[in-house]
Amino acid sequence: MLLRVPLTLALVMSCLHSFSQTDKNDSLQFTTYYYETGGKSSEGYLRDDKPDGYWKSFYRNGNIKAEGNRKNYMLDGPWIFYNEDGAKTVEINYSENKKNGLRKTFREGKVTKEENFEEDQLQGFTREYYFPTGELKQETPFEDGKSKGAGYEYNKEGLVITLLTYKGGVLTKKQRINRKDQQEQKQGIWMTFFKNKAVDNEGPYVNDLKHGYWKYYQPNGNLKRVEKWVMGVLQENAQETVKIEIRREINPQTGKLSFKGSYRDGVAEGVHRNYDENGEVISSKIYHNGKVLFEGIVDEEGRRQGPWKEYYETGELKSEGRYKDNLKISKWVYYYRDETVEQTGSYMNGLPDGIWTWTYPNGQTWREEEYVMGEEDGPSIEYNDTGAVIAKGNYIEGFKDGPWVFEQNDHREEGSYFEGERKGKWKFYYLATDKLSFEGEYENGLENGMHIYYYPDGKVKRRGNYSGGIKDGIWEYFSETGARTITIEYENGEEVKYNGDKIKYGKRLERALEQETQEREEREKERDNS
């Protein structure tokens, strides 16, 4: 490993061709080592023939490999390591030959991981980041070198989506929270947190509606209150609501319960159940402010069963289908407010399964997709409201895969995906003429290699190179007559030259010229005053 290179100097020296001595300071001497081919291998200070002070090592291509300081022969301060292209890969802080402080891992100049060390052992949170955007991805707690305690996984919007529990260096529990299904409806446990990571509130969602017990806490962890919700309706035990009256009716022939429902100020609210002579629920309705929102069977455990209907608050039918133990099954139909069909498809154990079809209000098919256990899997076609195809391709296990075609505004896009990311050659065409408007390569969803844009008559509009989604090298811009108008040179996505001139102070050329003009005018004014 690179960390051990300075401690095995004799082995390194046995591979070197020669060295030159350029400076002495007391017992310190500056020394340079070379490869047998003549290229510099490493340089730094020796004290009593052992490395001390600042050292650098180099690859055979001349790029720096590693650099850092030693104090009393021991690693001290930041040590930085690079790949053969000269890009920083790791930065580690040392004190007395032990890792102390942050170890940072880089990819293409972006920090992807931060680890905190104390006396060579991991302590506190290790943080991983999404590449290349940099949002926090995961926090893993460490104590004395082993993962221990509560960790967190985040989505790119900063929402905690997984709770992780570690013990003795082993992940012992993984709880998914704050998740949505394919229809963007909240499902399962949702939580919010205080800044100290203590839970603020928590509770379950079913089909985007609060359903079950919700708990609310103080920052110190003490419970403030508990609420009970049934399919989006707050129940009578909630402290914030007016006291709810529970009404019961008894069948005079059997003496058994025939009806039970709740009312707020005399208005129906929550679940209303009707029972048969054996005490079994035979029908249910869920009310809000006296209006029926749902109709079906809610058993005594609060689970939806059998045929169900959902209504808009204005009374129109919104959807209908079947439940089993609170999970959607079989065919479901969704409606616009005018009760024309918006969407049809089937569920298996609460997950979309089979062919699903979306429809515009005018009755024209909008989209057709195939699902397998909740994931898109198979052909997908999307149409505009006149019936023209605007997207066509295939899914495999929820990811776009293989050839896809899109029609957007005035152009058509053609290319391939692999596991949901663009890959290989993509081409865009002007719809009016079917002539090429763009061509370029992608790798793992990022632009890569030469990308060329064209005017409608086929002349080049602009062209340049990408490397891993970042502009690199010279980009050329052309007028409609074919004359080159602008050239911009990039290094790692930063503009370094504009029409061949270096961009000063990392600013665009225009800003640099403005500053030069202002400085010149100030010098002339000072000269005139003197």
Side-chain angles (χ1 to χ4, degrees):
M1 292 178 63
L2 289 173
L3 296 182
R4 301 304 180 190
V5 170
L7 303 181
T8 58
L9 185 62
L11 180 61
V12 174
M13 291 177 63
S14 68
C15 300
L16 304 179
H17 184 259
S18 62
F19 67 89
S20 60
Q21 194 172 299
T22 59
D23 188 23
K24 287 187 178 182
N25 183 6
D26 296 331
S27 60
L28 280 175
Q29 63 180 28
F30 186 83
T31 306
T32 303
Y33 293 93
Y34 299 88
Y35 290 107
E36 67 278 3
T37 55
K40 186 187 298 185
S41 170
S42 60
E43 64 183 14
Y45 289 95
L46 295 178
R47 186 193 302 272
D48 300 330
D49 292 327
K50 293 186 292 185
D52 203 13
Y54 205 83
W55 271 83
K56 295 181 179 179
S57 62
F58 303 87
Y59 289 101
R60 289 181 178 271
N61 65 6
N63 286 337
I64 190 167
K65 187 176 185 180
E67 61 180 326
N69 191 59
R70 291 180 180 80
K71 185 177 180 180
N72 297 326
Y73 312 115
M74 293 185 290
L75 302 177
D76 183 76
W79 273 77
I80 304 174
F81 301 86
Y82 306 84
N83 62 22
E84 289 191 271
D85 296 325
K88 184 192 297 187
T89 58
V90 178
E91 180 179 320
I92 309 174
N93 284 278
Y94 287 91
S95 177
E96 295 183 351
N97 232 32
K98 295 181 179 180
K99 291 188 283 290
N100 276 282
L102 286 181
R103 169 191 166 119
K104 297 182 180 180
T105 302
F106 296 83
R107 179 182 172 189
E108 298 179 13
K110 305 287 187 179
V111 176
T112 59
K113 191 174 185 179
E114 290 181 329
E115 302 164 281
N116 185 60
F117 285 85
E118 294 180 11
E119 297 296 304
D120 247 3
Q121 289 191 322
L122 283 167
Q123 300 284 0
F125 278 111
T126 287
R127 294 180 170 90
E128 300 177 47
Y129 302 90
Y130 284 100
F131 175 83
T133 50
E135 298 92 348
L136 182 61
K137 182 179 183 180
Q138 184 167 320
E139 291 181 303
T140 305
F142 281 87
E143 184 177 316
D144 299 332
K146 292 185 177 181
S147 50
K148 180 180 179 181
Y152 308 89
E153 180 186 355
Y154 300 83
N155 64 15
K156 288 189 175 182
E157 287 69 45
L159 188 68
V160 178
I161 57 174
T162 310
L163 299 178
L164 308 168
T165 303
Y166 296 88
K167 186 176 182 180
V170 177
L171 178 63
T172 59
K173 185 178 180 181
K174 191 173 183 179
Q175 182 184 3
R176 291 161 58 93
I177 64 171
N178 299 344
R179 303 290 181 122
K180 294 182 179 181
D181 62 18
Q182 295 290 334
Q183 281 69 46
E184 289 296 307
Q185 292 187 325
K186 295 178 181 179
Q187 304 284 3
I189 297 297
W190 276 67
M191 295 182 179
T192 62
F193 300 86
F194 293 106
K195 289 184 178 180
N196 65 358
K197 292 291 191 346
V199 176
D200 182 358
N201 63 74
E202 61 177 337
Y205 274 93
V206 174
N207 301 329
D208 223 32
L209 298 172
K210 288 183 177 181
H211 183 71
Y213 289 97
W214 277 73
K215 299 177 182 179
Y216 297 81
Y217 301 88
Q218 296 174 342
N220 62 5
N222 290 338
L223 184 66
K224 290 195 299 186
R225 70 180 187 275
V226 177
E227 297 176 348
K228 183 180 179 181
W229 292 76
V230 175
M231 300 313 297
V233 179
L234 186 61
Q235 298 303 290
E236 64 268 22
N237 292 329
Q239 297 178 5
E240 297 80 6
T241 62
V242 178
K243 183 177 180 181
I244 291 199
E245 175 190 1
I246 306 298
R247 298 180 184 176
R248 295 176 174 83
E249 296 179 5
I250 304 298
N251 186 326
Q253 295 179 346
T254 63
K256 293 184 178 181
L257 183 69
S258 63
F259 168 80
K260 181 173 68 175
S262 53
Y263 294 81
R264 184 195 299 131
D265 292 338
V267 178
E269 187 73 28
V271 180
H272 287 221
R273 295 183 178 93
N274 291 292
Y275 301 83
D276 65 13
E277 57 187 16
N278 297 316
E280 299 292 334
V281 179
I282 56 175
S283 66
S284 306
K285 292 181 180 179
I286 298 179
Y287 290 85
H288 181 56
N289 291 331
K291 297 178 180 179
V292 177
L293 297 184
F294 304 93
E295 185 176 1
I297 292 178
V298 181
D299 64 21
E300 294 296 348
E301 286 74 37
R303 300 172 301 182
R304 298 185 181 194
Q305 307 284 4
W308 262 83
K309 292 183 178 181
E310 179 182 3
Y311 298 91
Y312 290 99
E313 289 189 359
T314 48
E316 301 88 354
L317 182 62
K318 186 175 184 180
S319 67
E320 59 182 336
R322 296 184 64 86
Y323 278 96
K324 182 178 180 181
D325 296 335
N326 228 31
L327 297 176
K328 289 181 177 180
I329 61 170
S330 303
K331 182 180 178 180
W332 275 75
V333 182
Y334 297 82
Y335 301 92
Y336 293 104
R337 284 187 180 271
D338 63 2
E339 297 192 10
T340 57
V341 175
E342 176 186 10
Q343 183 180 346
T344 59
S346 295
Y347 289 89
M348 181 180 291
N349 296 325
L351 299 174
D353 194 82
I355 302 296
W356 277 75
T357 303
W358 287 257
T359 309
Y360 286 103
N362 64 4
Q364 175 64 49
T365 299
W366 177 358
R367 188 164 80 245
E368 295 174 331
E369 287 185 348
E370 187 170 349
Y371 287 81
V372 175
M373 295 302 293
E375 293 184 335
E376 298 100 326
D377 198 300
S380 173
I381 304 177
E382 186 171 351
Y383 307 84
N384 64 19
D385 57 5
T386 65
V389 175
I390 58 175
K392 184 177 181 179
N394 198 67
Y395 281 94
I396 295 179
E397 295 181 351
F399 295 104
K400 290 184 177 75
D401 200 272
W404 273 77
V405 178
F406 300 92
E407 287 194 6
Q408 299 181 358
N409 301 322
D410 63 347
H411 72 279
R412 182 177 75 255
E413 302 179 6
E414 296 181 359
S416 292
Y417 284 89
F418 178 71
E419 293 185 349
E421 302 286 0
R422 290 191 177 192
K423 182 177 178 63
K425 176 76 76 174
W426 275 74
K427 294 183 178 181
F428 298 177
Y429 298 86
Y430 291 103
L431 284 180
T433 61
D434 207 36
K435 287 188 176 181
L436 194 64
S437 66
F438 161 82
E439 59 182 336
E441 295 275 345
Y442 287 82
E443 187 67 32
N444 296 324
L446 300 175
E447 300 93 337
N448 203 51
M450 179 63 66
H451 279 221
I452 307 175
Y453 298 81
Y454 300 91
Y455 287 105
D457 63 359
K459 291 187 177 69
V460 174
K461 188 175 186 180
R462 65 182 184 274
R463 63 188 175 197
N465 194 67
Y466 279 97
S467 178
I470 298 174
K471 288 182 177 179
D472 189 59
I474 296 175
W475 274 70
E476 300 173 292
Y477 296 78
F478 301 85
S479 70
E480 293 187 46
T481 64
R484 187 170 62 186
T485 58
I486 299 173
T487 62
I488 302 176
E489 186 172 344
Y490 293 87
E491 288 184 5
N492 295 322
E494 297 289 334
E495 297 179 10
V496 295
K497 288 185 180 180
Y498 189 92
N499 284 341
D501 294 328
K502 289 185 177 180
I503 296 176
K504 298 184 178 181
Y505 317 116
K507 302 174 182 177
R508 296 185 63 88
L509 179 62
E510 294 85 352
R511 295 180 62 189
L513 291 176
E514 290 175 1
Q515 183 168 333
E516 287 184 355
T517 301
Q518 182 179 352
E519 292 175 352
R520 183 173 63 253
E521 290 175 350
E522 290 177 352
R523 289 196 299 270
E524 291 175 352
K525 185 182 294 184
E526 290 177 358
R527 185 171 61 250
D528 292 341
N529 291 336
S530 62

